[in-house]
Structure formats: C-alpha cells, structure tokens
Amino acid sequence: MIGLICDPDIRLKGRKKGFYHDIIITGGGKAAGKLFPWVHVVIGNLKRFLLGTHHYVGKNHIDGYIAEYVYRLNRRFHEEDLFNHLFQACLLLPPKPKKSLKK
C-alpha cells in the first residue's frame, strides 16, 4: 500500500483504493512551507517557466504547457539522455499533418 501526505482535499475521497492518507492541516502560509518546502519551489518555478517562456498562457493550451514543465522537471538530472529520448520519440511517433496541430 502507498501512503500519501496531503491536505484534507475533498476531491481525494473517491481515490482511496490502494492508498492510505495521512492528512495534515497546515493552516497555510509559513506552516505549509515548513512541511512541504519543495511544493512552493516547484510552483514558483512553474510560474517563471510559463511567464518567461510563453509570456501568455491561454486556457486552450495550459494543459500542454504544464505537461511540458512536468516532463522537464522529471528529467532535469538526465541531460545526457535528452537527445536519445528525443530521437526515439521522433522515430516511434507517427507524423502529424498541420491540420491536426491547429485547434
């Protein structure tokens, strides 16, 4: 079984299969920063990434931008493999016509 430490979010009630939750009520602010210091760093870096790279984030593309950030975050220590992963993705995925890229 996998343990999660989280706030008492009502959206997690239906997702308890295979998990147990240790709920911690922090009250926000500095107390939350002491218990979950990396959460604030990751969210701050996400904001900088979005505003610094894209300058504007529309509702239609926010999911893709966040997925790109998470992809980069998860692979930040594997820079030597980056070219090989990109090359492999290019070879394995089928080509997409220009019409499918526009919404």
Side-chain angles (χ1 to χ4, degrees):
M1 201 172 262
I2 299 171
L4 299 173
I5 299 175
C6 58
D7 62 349
D9 193 339
I10 200 154
R11 291 173 286 187
L12 293 174
K13 284 188 176 182
R15 300 179 186 174
K16 292 187 178 181
K17 296 176 183 175
F19 295 95
Y20 68 89
H21 296 159
D22 290 334
I23 297 174
I24 297 174
I25 299 173
T26 63
K30 292 182 181 180
K34 288 179 184 175
L35 287 170
F36 305 107
W38 282 104
V39 172
H40 295 289
V41 172
V42 169
I43 291 172
N45 288 344
L46 172 62
K47 289 178 184 178
R48 286 290 103 215
F49 167 74
L50 292 174
L51 295 174
T53 305
H54 301 290
H55 304 289
Y56 172 77
V57 179
K59 291 179 184 178
N60 295 342
H61 303 289
I62 187 77
D63 292 338
Y65 294 153
I66 292 174
E68 179 185 355
Y69 175 75
V70 170
Y71 179 85
R72 290 181 182 195
L73 180 70
N74 290 336
R75 287 156 185 80
R76 66 190 180 276
F77 300 119
H78 303 284
E79 290 181 14
E80 65 276 356
D81 298 333
L82 187 61
F83 179 77
N84 291 336
H85 285 291
L86 178 63
F87 190 68
Q88 184 179 12
C90 290
L91 291 176
L92 294 176
L93 295 175
K96 292 196 173 239
K98 190 174 181 179
K99 290 179 187 177
S100 69
L101 298 177
K102 292 185 178 182
K103 288 186 177 184

